[in-house]
Amino acid sequence: MTSTVPERRRRLGRVGTALVFVVLAAMLLPFADFRLGGHDPWAELRRMASGLLSPDFSSIEALGWAAVLTVAFAMCGVALGASAGFVLAPFYRFVLVRNFCIAVRSIHELFWAILLMQITGLSATTGILAIAIPYAGIFAKVLAEYLDEADPRPAAAMPPRADLISVHFFARLPLARREFRTYLLYRLECGLRSSAVLGFVGLPTLGFSLDTFFKQGMYGAVAAVLIIYYVLIGTMRLWMRRPLVPVYLTAAILVMAAMPNPPMAPGALVRFLTHDIVPAPLRSGDPGDPGTWAHFGDWLWTLLAGQALPGLAATLIVAQLALVLAGLVALLGFPLTVPPVAGRLGAALGHVALVIARSTPEYMLAYLALQIFGPSMLPAVLALGLHNGAIIAHLLGRQSAHLHQNLRPDASRGIVLYAYELLPRIYGSFLALCLYRWEIIVRESAIIGLLGIPTLGFYVDRAIQEIRIDRAVVLLIVTMLATVAIDWLSRRTRAAIAPKDLRQGAAAA
């Protein structure tokens, strides 16, 4: 009897945790800006739907080249990030390495691109590094977790004098090699999404074409861009074969090398590190003068109170509402992919809907919603909720399919199967995945500000436009600290209520 008490407490903790998030979202709802943009959203939606149903492939040559560049940026960025993560993974247990990885992955690729453009301009180097830097931190974390979960006996059997590198390559790495390859393919799919989104800051990927056609009201061409993008993502497992990876990577490097790169200004990197990112009061004042530090304190307080705190509040409001919406989308979406619940046709349509929602980057979804509803928090919440909810629903659908295979032949079907068989069994995994995506949603909520929604990204973008890089860096540090804090809270909560479910699904999310 005593063995069931911790499990009962864990179940109560799961229900209580979900209730806390829902209540908190309800309390924040009055503070959310959901005003429409002063026009008829349904009329705009009809105009968009009319164009989207009539794809215009007249610019197919340019779109084809944009698709090639999208793949090339993703291949090079993911390859560089995976290589760096592979090197860092054995040392992830060390505090300095772990904190470095947390710092670099907590800043979105678009933020990295905006910063890097101050040094390398609008170039291939900017796009590749913008993907590689955060992905290095992500790869290091995930690969380290795979290594830690591998069978420890081969490592324990190594000679006592064996060094860390020898133990890693001969005892730990062979056991996790297959997981490494599987995760690398998944991360390449994420890299394609990141590469497409980099077009919104000017790099010539599919996102740039989408932005250009939208601004011109050419919705048929927008439909063509989206179709090419979905085909690219949907067929990736067909054309991305292991023997062809060296060929693809070589071709991607050649494509990147052929891109016209603006010459880097002499001393740009040194100026960036020693002047641009240094706070203005310290840059122009004497560090030995107490008045300089007093001026710096005033400068920092004005920035924090006037921009960082309002931006952080908006970011957390958007993230909290999006998290609850993502949970609702997941609970309603995953049964639509299970044939005994939705039927064969319904499950096929459900799979297609989830593939579209999870394959479309949240930034792109927010951009589309922005054209309909105008600049408010509504597009951000809808985009983040749909994208992350579809990811969770997809993973839960796969788990539910395995569960149904183990049920009795006379098990119920339809809504009864969902409510009484599947949902109680996968609820722990559902909650664990929601908590895992929480930190990611906060990170994404900040970047949505680049579209004009007043989250932290809005103030970062404004500082960059005003060529006040020092302010942008402080705001990015606030973004990083908020992401790290949410990640810490999420990990503590997951460990308390659903450790087993987390290990099964977190890496895949």
Side-chain angles (χ1 to χ4, degrees):
M1 185 68 179
T2 56
S3 61
T4 63
V5 172
E7 181 59 29
R8 289 178 180 176
R9 289 178 178 174
R10 185 171 288 123
R11 289 177 182 175
L12 291 175
R14 292 171 179 173
V15 175
T17 300
L19 185 61
V20 166
F21 278 100
V22 172
V23 170
L24 182 57
M27 294 173 61
L28 293 175
L29 197 57
F31 300 97
D33 176 17
F34 282 170
R35 293 172 297 177
L36 300 181
H39 61 279
D40 184 359
W42 301 113
E44 184 66 23
L45 187 60
R46 284 193 297 269
R47 286 193 292 271
M48 290 177 58
S50 176
L52 293 176
L53 293 175
S54 305
D56 178 10
F57 288 94
S58 60
S59 303
I60 186 62
E61 184 176 345
L63 293 180
W65 182 243
V68 169
L69 290 175
T70 300
V71 175
F73 273 114
M75 289 287 297
C76 293
V78 172
L80 184 58
S83 301
F86 183 83
V87 172
L88 292 170
F91 309 100
Y92 194 79
R93 68 187 69 178
F94 299 117
V95 175
L96 288 178
V97 175
R98 185 168 62 251
N99 288 341
F100 170 76
C101 293
I102 291 172
V104 297
R105 73 171 183 260
S106 65
I107 298 177
H108 196 277
E109 301 90 79
L110 276 178
F111 282 147
W112 280 114
I114 291 172
L115 278 180
L116 288 166
M117 279 195 293
Q118 314 308 311
I119 306 170
T120 54
L122 200 60
S123 65
T125 303
T126 296
I128 294 171
L129 291 179
I131 296 174
I133 292 174
Y135 277 35
I138 295 171
F139 270 112
K141 174 181 181 292
V142 174
L143 300 187
E145 289 177 351
Y146 281 139
L147 291 170
D148 289 341
E149 291 176 5
D151 188 348
R153 289 175 295 181
M158 291 287 288
R161 294 185 178 181
D163 57 78
L164 178 63
I165 302 299
S166 299
V167 172
H168 172 70
F169 278 99
F170 293 103
R172 303 178 70 203
L173 184 59
L175 300 178
R177 188 179 301 165
R178 189 173 71 175
E179 287 80 4
F180 278 18
R181 288 199 298 263
T182 302
Y183 185 74
L184 185 62
L185 182 63
Y186 165 75
R187 187 47 58 180
L188 179 59
E189 180 182 331
C190 298
L192 289 173
R193 291 199 292 264
S194 299
S195 177
V197 167
L198 289 178
F200 287 94
V201 296
L203 292 169
T205 64
L206 286 171
F208 180 79
S209 302
L210 184 73
D211 186 29
T212 301
F213 291 137
F214 247 120
K215 289 177 178 177
Q216 297 175 3
M218 300 170 62
Y219 296 136
V222 169
V225 174
L226 292 174
I227 289 172
I228 291 173
Y229 173 76
Y230 291 134
V231 170
L232 193 64
I233 293 288
T235 62
M236 192 188 74
R237 294 182 181 272
L238 299 177
W239 53 264
M240 180 50 67
R241 300 292 182 177
R242 193 172 17 147
L244 295 175
V245 170
V247 177
Y248 289 144
L249 185 57
T250 301
I253 293 173
L254 293 175
V255 169
M256 293 289 96
M259 275 189 64
N261 289 306
M264 186 186 302
L269 179 58
V270 174
R271 176 180 173 81
F272 180 80
L273 295 175
T274 61
H275 182 272
D276 293 348
I277 66 174
V278 177
L282 301 181
R283 188 192 313 154
S284 58
D286 180 8
D289 183 3
T292 299
W293 292 100
H295 188 198
F296 169 72
D298 294 338
W299 174 88
L300 183 61
W301 171 248
T302 301
L303 180 60
L304 293 177
Q307 297 186 20
L309 293 180
L312 179 60
T315 299
L316 294 178
I317 290 173
V318 168
Q320 189 63 37
L321 295 176
L323 178 62
V324 173
L325 178 60
L328 182 62
V329 169
L331 288 177
L332 296 178
F334 90 83
L336 300 180
T337 66
V338 182
V341 177
R344 292 187 178 274
L345 178 60
L349 294 176
H351 273 295
V352 171
L354 291 185
V355 166
I356 292 175
R358 71 185 177 89
S359 298
T360 309
E362 67 288 338
Y363 190 88
M364 196 179 290
L365 282 174
Y367 183 87
L368 295 173
L370 193 68
Q371 314 305 314
I372 302 171
F373 300 109
S376 72
M377 291 183 180
L378 183 59
V381 172
L382 290 176
L384 294 170
L386 288 174
H387 175 73
N388 290 279
I391 291 174
I392 298 171
H394 168 70
L395 295 171
L396 294 179
R398 289 198 310 187
Q399 185 176 345
S400 298
H402 294 314
L403 287 175
H404 181 260
Q405 294 174 358
N406 298 323
L407 295 177
R408 303 187 315 272
D410 61 341
S412 303
R413 302 176 70 86
I415 190 67
V416 176
L417 174 66
Y418 166 69
Y420 292 98
E421 294 282 1
L422 297 181
L423 185 58
R425 297 183 185 216
I426 60 88
Y427 180 76
S429 295
F430 158 74
L431 193 57
L433 289 168
C434 285
L435 289 169
Y436 178 77
R437 298 299 300 183
W438 187 20
E439 172 254 337
I440 298 173
I441 290 175
V442 171
R443 176 175 175 264
E444 293 169 346
S445 298
I447 199 64
I448 294 297
L450 296 178
L451 294 174
I453 300 163
T455 62
L456 280 166
F458 172 80
Y459 296 102
V460 172
D461 187 42
R462 191 167 75 178
I464 294 290
Q465 290 180 5
E466 295 174 353
I467 320 180
R468 294 177 171 177
I469 312 301
D470 52 343
R471 294 189 179 190
V473 169
V474 172
L475 294 170
L476 286 175
I477 291 174
V478 172
T479 304
M480 180 187 69
L481 293 176
T483 306
V484 170
I486 294 296
D487 179 57
W488 176 84
L489 182 59
S490 172
R491 283 187 286 109
R492 292 291 298 269
T493 307
R494 294 196 307 260
I497 64 175
K500 293 182 180 179
D501 298 310
L502 171 65
R503 284 196 294 270
Q504 294 172 358

PDB file of all heavy atoms in Angstrom, residues 155-167:
ATOM      1  N   ALA A 155      31.608   1.726 -19.767  1.00  0.00           N
ATOM      2  CA  ALA A 155      32.490   2.777 -19.254  1.00  0.00           C
ATOM      3  C   ALA A 155      33.137   2.348 -17.941  1.00  0.00           C
ATOM      4  O   ALA A 155      34.316   2.638 -17.690  1.00  0.00           O
ATOM      5  CB  ALA A 155      31.698   4.070 -19.061  1.00  0.00           C
ATOM      6  N   ALA A 156      32.368   1.652 -17.095  1.00  0.00           N
ATOM      7  CA  ALA A 156      32.931   1.195 -15.818  1.00  0.00           C
ATOM      8  C   ALA A 156      34.003   0.129 -16.015  1.00  0.00           C
ATOM      9  O   ALA A 156      34.884  -0.042 -15.157  1.00  0.00           O
ATOM     10  CB  ALA A 156      31.811   0.649 -14.933  1.00  0.00           C
ATOM     11  N   ALA A 157      33.921  -0.577 -17.164  1.00  0.00           N
ATOM     12  CA  ALA A 157      34.899  -1.636 -17.424  1.00  0.00           C
ATOM     13  C   ALA A 157      36.193  -1.117 -18.030  1.00  0.00           C
ATOM     14  O   ALA A 157      37.152  -1.890 -18.196  1.00  0.00           O
ATOM     15  CB  ALA A 157      34.294  -2.683 -18.352  1.00  0.00           C
ATOM     16  N   MET A 158      36.250   0.158 -18.374  1.00  0.00           N
ATOM     17  CA  MET A 158      37.480   0.720 -18.937  1.00  0.00           C
ATOM     18  C   MET A 158      38.590   0.728 -17.886  1.00  0.00           C
ATOM     19  O   MET A 158      38.320   0.770 -16.676  1.00  0.00           O
ATOM     20  CB  MET A 158      37.215   2.147 -19.424  1.00  0.00           C
ATOM     21  CG  MET A 158      36.300   2.237 -20.640  1.00  0.00           C
ATOM     22  SD  MET A 158      37.088   1.706 -22.173  1.00  0.00           S
ATOM     23  CE  MET A 158      38.209   3.079 -22.474  1.00  0.00           C
ATOM     24  N   PRO A 159      39.861   0.676 -18.310  1.00  0.00           N
ATOM     25  CA  PRO A 159      40.977   0.706 -17.341  1.00  0.00           C
ATOM     26  C   PRO A 159      40.909   1.942 -16.448  1.00  0.00           C
ATOM     27  O   PRO A 159      40.436   3.008 -16.890  1.00  0.00           O
ATOM     28  CB  PRO A 159      42.220   0.738 -18.235  1.00  0.00           C
ATOM     29  CG  PRO A 159      41.774   0.146 -19.526  1.00  0.00           C
ATOM     30  CD  PRO A 159      40.336   0.543 -19.692  1.00  0.00           C
ATOM     31  N   PRO A 160      41.333   1.861 -15.223  1.00  0.00           N
ATOM     32  CA  PRO A 160      41.242   2.994 -14.283  1.00  0.00           C
ATOM     33  C   PRO A 160      41.945   4.243 -14.789  1.00  0.00           C
ATOM     34  O   PRO A 160      41.550   5.359 -14.452  1.00  0.00           O
ATOM     35  CB  PRO A 160      41.894   2.458 -13.006  1.00  0.00           C
ATOM     36  CG  PRO A 160      41.778   0.972 -13.114  1.00  0.00           C
ATOM     37  CD  PRO A 160      41.878   0.657 -14.568  1.00  0.00           C
ATOM     38  N   ARG A 161      43.004   4.071 -15.568  1.00  0.00           N
ATOM     39  CA  ARG A 161      43.754   5.233 -16.030  1.00  0.00           C
ATOM     40  C   ARG A 161      43.219   5.816 -17.336  1.00  0.00           C
ATOM     41  O   ARG A 161      43.809   6.759 -17.876  1.00  0.00           O
ATOM     42  CB  ARG A 161      45.222   4.846 -16.220  1.00  0.00           C
ATOM     43  CG  ARG A 161      45.932   4.496 -14.918  1.00  0.00           C
ATOM     44  CD  ARG A 161      47.403   4.236 -15.161  1.00  0.00           C
ATOM     45  NE  ARG A 161      48.104   3.938 -13.909  1.00  0.00           N
ATOM     46  CZ  ARG A 161      49.406   3.695 -13.835  1.00  0.00           C
ATOM     47  NH1 ARG A 161      50.148   3.692 -14.946  1.00  0.00           N
ATOM     48  NH2 ARG A 161      49.968   3.435 -12.657  1.00  0.00           N
ATOM     49  N   ALA A 162      42.140   5.258 -17.847  1.00  0.00           N
ATOM     50  CA  ALA A 162      41.574   5.767 -19.105  1.00  0.00           C
ATOM     51  C   ALA A 162      41.077   7.194 -18.916  1.00  0.00           C
ATOM     52  O   ALA A 162      40.395   7.507 -17.935  1.00  0.00           O
ATOM     53  CB  ALA A 162      40.432   4.870 -19.564  1.00  0.00           C
ATOM     54  N   ASP A 163      41.420   8.059 -19.854  1.00  0.00           N
ATOM     55  CA  ASP A 163      41.001   9.456 -19.746  1.00  0.00           C
ATOM     56  C   ASP A 163      39.582   9.623 -20.270  1.00  0.00           C
ATOM     57  O   ASP A 163      38.976   8.701 -20.839  1.00  0.00           O
ATOM     58  CB  ASP A 163      41.953  10.366 -20.530  1.00  0.00           C
ATOM     59  CG  ASP A 163      42.061   9.965 -21.987  1.00  0.00           C
ATOM     60  OD1 ASP A 163      41.151  10.291 -22.751  1.00  0.00           O
ATOM     61  OD2 ASP A 163      43.055   9.285 -22.347  1.00  0.00           O
ATOM     62  N   LEU A 164      39.038  10.824 -20.076  1.00  0.00           N
ATOM     63  CA  LEU A 164      37.651  11.121 -20.440  1.00  0.00           C
ATOM     64  C   LEU A 164      37.400  10.894 -21.931  1.00  0.00           C
ATOM     65  O   LEU A 164      36.365  10.352 -22.323  1.00  0.00           O
ATOM     66  CB  LEU A 164      37.325  12.571 -20.062  1.00  0.00           C
ATOM     67  CG  LEU A 164      35.928  13.081 -20.407  1.00  0.00           C
ATOM     68  CD1 LEU A 164      34.875  12.303 -19.643  1.00  0.00           C
ATOM     69  CD2 LEU A 164      35.811  14.570 -20.100  1.00  0.00           C
ATOM     70  N   ILE A 165      38.338  11.318 -22.784  1.00  0.00           N
ATOM     71  CA  ILE A 165      38.161  11.193 -24.230  1.00  0.00           C
ATOM     72  C   ILE A 165      38.109   9.724 -24.637  1.00  0.00           C
ATOM     73  O   ILE A 165      37.274   9.313 -25.454  1.00  0.00           O
ATOM     74  CB  ILE A 165      39.296  11.926 -24.982  1.00  0.00           C
ATOM     75  CG1 ILE A 165      39.327  13.411 -24.571  1.00  0.00           C
ATOM     76  CG2 ILE A 165      39.119  11.792 -26.481  1.00  0.00           C
ATOM     77  CD1 ILE A 165      38.059  14.152 -24.893  1.00  0.00           C
ATOM     78  N   SER A 166      38.996   8.907 -24.079  1.00  0.00           N
ATOM     79  CA  SER A 166      39.011   7.481 -24.415  1.00  0.00           C
ATOM     80  C   SER A 166      37.720   6.799 -23.987  1.00  0.00           C
ATOM     81  O   SER A 166      37.132   6.008 -24.744  1.00  0.00           O
ATOM     82  CB  SER A 166      40.209   6.798 -23.746  1.00  0.00           C
ATOM     83  OG  SER A 166      41.427   7.361 -24.194  1.00  0.00           O
ATOM     84  N   VAL A 167      37.257   7.109 -22.776  1.00  0.00           N
ATOM     85  CA  VAL A 167      36.002   6.524 -22.293  1.00  0.00           C
ATOM     86  C   VAL A 167      34.847   6.952 -23.193  1.00  0.00           C
ATOM     87  O   VAL A 167      33.964   6.151 -23.532  1.00  0.00           O
ATOM     88  CB  VAL A 167      35.745   6.953 -20.834  1.00  0.00           C
ATOM     89  CG1 VAL A 167      34.358   6.522 -20.382  1.00  0.00           C
ATOM     90  CG2 VAL A 167      36.808   6.370 -19.912  1.00  0.00           C
TER      91      VAL A 167
END
